[in-house]
Amino acid sequence: NAAIASATFTASAADDTLTPGEMKVGLEVAYPPFESWQDKKIVGFDAELAQLLSQQMGLKLQLADTKFSGLILGLNAGRHDTVISALYITPERTAQADAIPYADTGAYIMVRSDSTIAPTTEKALCGLTVGLQQGTSWVKKLRELSEGYCKANGKGPVTVKEFPTAPETMQALLAGHVQAQVDIAGVVSLFAERSNGRLKITSPQTIYPQTLGIYVKKGNTALAAKLTAALNTLRQNGKYAALLKNYARYGITDTQAR
């Protein structure tokens, strides 16, 4: 029966998103150049990508400012449909939600401009106090580095200090509470740019290069398929390349370039 078939299809299409015709995207709006507030508007790479994807999918976009720790949790609690918030694809996260790769980036190391230290790689962080945003993937990586490489080579441990947001971590660096900050390349570039010469990047290349993912609730294959198709169309029509070009100086590249 065609009527039943079409009714079933409409119901399953509505199930893709929490509200039919709308896509609610969770993101932490304290992470420039990916997402930040400007004149009461959410701007940045992820915000622009979310807009392009929703237009391509014919959905109205709603951006939901969400605490970093609540991004994946909010997916599973039905607070938003997807997360586009500069989140790396990690085993811990993919155990809780499904991810679609969209961009590659890494981390930079930043210190105060008047600092006597200039760590160029993660290995140079042994013996230092390093500020990180709570819940970021580098917390685990730097602890492993400290226990492994630093210890094996008779160097001091990496003392990790965590702060609720990236801007608060930067304030701790400026105040001298930590000696270095490690964060995603784009964020660190922007902080250094806006610091009036008080901060500098010391790593010539990104450290811990990884892939960023668009996250959807586990099992929501319909929405994942639509987002993947929309992203592929944006790649083909040049719109995604144009967006990446605007943000190239922040160390963001297309995953497909690999």
Side-chain angles (χ1 to χ4, degrees):
N1 184 314
I4 293 173
S6 96
T8 312
F9 175 76
T10 310
S12 69
D15 290 343
D16 299 353
T17 56
L18 298 165
T19 306
E22 193 175 283
M23 182 166 75
K24 194 172 182 183
V25 177
L27 68 180
E28 188 211 24
V29 192
Y31 216 55
F34 292 94
E35 38 270 323
S36 59
W37 288 105
Q38 191 181 306
D39 304 325
K40 296 182 181 176
K41 263 182 73 182
I42 298 172
V43 298
F45 181 81
D46 288 332
E48 287 187 52
L49 176 59
Q51 187 66 54
L52 288 172
L53 288 167
S54 61
Q55 281 170 354
Q56 189 59 46
M57 294 160 75
L59 297 171
K60 185 178 171 229
L61 176 66
Q62 189 188 343
L63 297 175
D65 188 7
T66 307
K67 267 193 164 163
F68 190 84
S69 57
L71 288 168
I72 299 286
L73 292 173
L75 267 184
N76 296 323
R79 287 195 208 103
H80 36 254
D81 298 298
T82 179
V83 170
I84 308 175
S85 193
L87 282 192
Y88 280 159
I89 296 177
T90 64
E92 292 85 358
R93 289 179 188 145
T94 52
Q96 300 173 69
D98 293 330
I100 300 151
Y102 72 101
D104 283 356
T105 189
Y108 278 152
I109 303 166
M110 180 168 68
V111 301
R112 275 181 19 175
S113 296
D114 61 1
S115 177
T116 54
I117 56 159
T120 54
T121 68
E122 65 273 26
K123 288 176 179 174
L125 296 172
C126 297
L128 302 182
T129 300
V130 181
L132 298 172
Q133 182 180 356
Q134 220 164 352
T136 53
S137 62
W138 303 292
V139 175
K140 187 182 171 193
K141 285 188 185 297
L142 290 187
R143 287 194 174 130
E144 285 170 355
L145 176 81
S146 186
E147 283 300 302
Y149 173 83
C150 301
K151 208 177 243 184
N153 288 276
K155 298 174 185 287
V158 180
T159 305
V160 171
K161 281 195 177 176
E162 294 179 70
F163 300 88
T165 66
E168 285 168 275
T169 313
M170 178 193 66
Q171 289 304 326
L173 177 63
L174 286 168
H177 300 314
V178 296
Q179 293 167 283
Q181 178 175 358
V182 170
D183 213 320
I184 206 161
V187 171
V188 172
S189 301
L190 208 64
F191 284 171
E193 260 176 38
R194 293 176 178 176
S195 72
N196 295 323
R198 292 179 299 162
L199 297 169
K200 64 181 180 185
I201 294 165
T202 56
S203 49
Q205 268 95 38
T206 57
I207 62 168
Y208 299 125
Q210 271 176 288
T211 298
L212 302 174
I214 296 167
Y215 283 86
V216 296
K217 189 176 181 176
K218 263 209 181 302
N220 192 349
T221 51
L223 181 59
K226 286 181 182 177
L227 282 162
T228 303
L231 183 58
N232 286 337
T233 303
L234 295 173
R235 281 181 168 128
Q236 286 155 12
N237 65 19
K239 289 182 180 177
Y240 192 44
L243 175 63
L244 285 159
K245 195 178 175 187
N246 289 344
Y247 288 88
R249 72 183 190 276
Y250 300 117
I252 309 164
T253 58
D254 190 352
T255 303
Q256 270 204 343
R258 279 187 298 131

